[in-house]
Amino acid sequence: MRSIWNGAISFGLVSIPIKLVNATESHSVSFRQIHAEDGGRIRYRKVCELEDREVTQAEIGKAYEDADGSMIPITDEDLSHLPIPTARTIEIVAFVPEERIDPLQMGSAYYLAASGAPAAKPYTLLREALKRSNRVAIAKFALRGRERLGMLRVVGDAIAMHGLLWPDEVRAPEGVAPDAGVTVRDQELDLADALMDTLGEIDLDDLHDEYQEALEEVIAAKSAGEAPPEAREEERPGKVLDLMAALESSVRAARESRGGEEAGPAEEAEVRPLPRAQKSSRRAPKETGGKKSTSAAAKKTAAKKAAPKKSTAAAGKSTAKSAQPAKKSTAGSTAKKATGRSAAAKSTARTTAKKTASRKRSA
């Protein structure tokens, strides 16, 4: 890897010669601007406004634009006299726990490579000291014309440095959170936990840039004179206004996307539905007429047997059977009446036959 800066790490009185190399690289596809009609390249030329002519790089200097629009020239000699003690040194100023660093401050990442054999021993010493202390080093360094803040930490067998923003460069999150007071219920948190457990963990090495892959396919197809591939239309779920319903749908979709197999923490995920509204403890009003009577009503009816209107045995039997539906009671009453009439008819027929027989004997 090509170094972009050479200097030394100042670790107390110990100086460690190092080379700074980029720890990351960009794989993004870059485009050129062209004239849409004929495909000609669009280029930018640096032109002096006063002379109206193109100038070379050697003729270009630096200047600061004042509030009134005037230009204040700043030469390289002016910059060389700036009081920057870290011009060629990464000066370690403190060692702190890594959790003290706000991730919002982190910027570009670099590897610090030992420069030459004499740097191997002090480099290894600093690396092992960082490992054993479980801390990171906070340092100042100068790069591309300005002093910067950095964090040194151990990555494998190497020391990496993250460029940090100065604390006053990080904005406070004022006005970002919702203004209105929002209450989150335990059931919603349970579903959110179930969704996180269902999604589970993932190996970051398995993630890749799908947009770049699709873009490369388009470029390859156009280069071969073929039609670019069409993007597949994914089904968009309907708009869900209920947060609980949205969470439940998300849990189901996550489980389906994983083929219904849940490993690890996902197997312990449980979706608990909202508790139903409790039924009222008040009893329903007593119903009369053709509805079934309650046992309490039957007891009250039985207690009224001593009343003058219901003193007969027939009334008692009728009362005892009042718990049956009206239709059954009416049918039973009709059947009893029919049976009674039949018995009376038979009794009358026997009496008539006896009278006729006695008359014949007397004759």
Side-chain angles (χ1 to χ4, degrees):
M1 292 182 283
R2 187 175 61 88
S3 63
I4 61 174
W5 185 89
N6 294 332
I9 299 175
S10 174
F11 179 31
L13 296 178
V14 179
S15 180
I16 310 172
I18 55 96
K19 296 179 180 180
L20 192 69
V21 297
N22 284 318
T24 61
E25 57 185 359
S26 175
H27 294 160
S28 61
V29 178
S30 59
F31 294 99
R32 304 292 186 184
Q33 290 185 330
I34 61 170
H35 188 198
E37 287 188 7
D38 52 21
R41 282 281 305 275
I42 302 297
R43 298 181 182 275
Y44 292 94
R45 293 182 170 85
K46 298 177 181 180
V47 177
C48 175
E49 293 182 348
L50 298 179
E51 298 182 8
D52 193 21
R53 69 176 182 87
E54 185 177 356
V55 295
T56 62
Q57 185 64 35
E59 298 177 87
I60 299 175
K62 301 182 183 69
Y64 174 79
E65 185 176 2
D66 205 353
D68 58 359
S70 60
M71 297 295 176
I72 303 174
I74 302 294
T75 65
D76 292 337
E77 185 179 358
D78 296 332
L79 297 176
S80 64
H81 291 86
L82 289 177
I84 301 180
T86 56
R88 285 291 170 188
T89 305
I90 298 176
E91 182 184 359
I92 296 177
V93 296
F95 293 89
V96 300
E98 189 172 357
E99 56 268 19
R100 286 270 305 275
I101 306 301
D102 188 347
L104 288 174
Q105 289 184 255
M106 290 189 178
S108 303
Y110 309 94
Y111 286 132
L112 303 181
S115 180
K121 182 65 178 280
Y123 184 97
T124 304
L125 172 65
L126 176 59
R127 183 191 66 197
E128 296 303 316
L130 289 172
K131 277 185 180 180
R132 192 168 70 172
S133 65
N134 290 324
R135 289 182 290 180
V136 297
I138 303 300
K140 289 182 177 182
F141 65 102
L143 184 65
R144 298 188 180 98
R146 59 182 292 252
E147 189 175 53
R148 302 168 187 264
L149 194 62
M151 179 190 75
L152 277 64
R153 69 184 183 97
V154 178
V155 177
D157 292 332
I159 299 176
M161 183 174 69
H162 296 268
L164 299 179
L165 297 174
W166 297 99
D168 59 355
E169 293 179 314
V170 179
R171 293 180 176 178
E174 296 178 357
V176 177
D179 294 333
V182 178
T183 302
V184 179
R185 296 177 294 176
D186 291 338
Q187 293 83 357
E188 294 168 337
L189 286 173
D190 291 340
L191 278 173
D193 290 340
L195 178 57
M196 289 190 291
D197 291 339
T198 303
L199 292 175
E201 297 182 358
I202 193 172
D203 187 355
L204 294 180
D205 292 334
D206 295 336
L207 299 177
H208 56 278
D209 190 348
E210 296 182 8
Y211 176 81
Q212 180 181 341
E213 292 177 356
L215 184 58
E216 290 174 352
E217 290 180 6
V218 171
I219 294 174
K222 297 276 286 185
S223 176
E226 302 174 356
E230 296 182 359
R232 61 180 184 275
E233 294 184 2
E234 298 181 358
E235 296 182 1
R236 295 184 179 180
K239 188 176 183 181
V240 181
L241 299 179
D242 186 2
L243 179 58
M244 290 295 293
L247 287 170
E248 290 175 352
S249 299
S250 299
V251 172
R252 285 195 299 270
R255 288 176 176 170
E256 291 174 359
S257 66
R258 293 177 179 269
E261 297 181 359
E262 299 173 13
E267 294 180 354
E268 301 177 1
E270 179 184 358
V271 179
R272 287 179 280 182
L274 285 173
R276 297 181 179 177
Q278 297 181 353
K279 296 182 179 179
S280 176
S281 60
R282 295 183 298 175
R283 293 182 179 179
K286 298 176 183 178
E287 298 175 348
T288 57
K291 301 287 180 78
K292 292 184 178 180
S293 61
T294 62
S295 59
K299 291 180 181 179
K300 289 182 179 179
T301 306
K304 292 180 181 178
K305 287 182 180 180
K309 292 183 180 180
K310 298 183 179 180
S311 59
T312 63
K317 292 179 180 180
S318 176
T319 304
K321 295 178 180 179
S322 62
Q324 298 180 358
K327 291 182 180 180
K328 292 183 179 180
S329 178
T330 304
S333 177
T334 304
K336 287 182 179 181
K337 287 180 181 179
T339 306
R341 288 172 186 170
S342 176
K346 289 180 181 180
S347 178
T348 304
R350 290 193 193 102
T351 304
T352 304
K354 287 180 181 181
K355 287 181 180 180
T356 304
S358 65
R359 285 174 186 173
K360 286 181 180 180
R361 290 192 195 102
S362 62

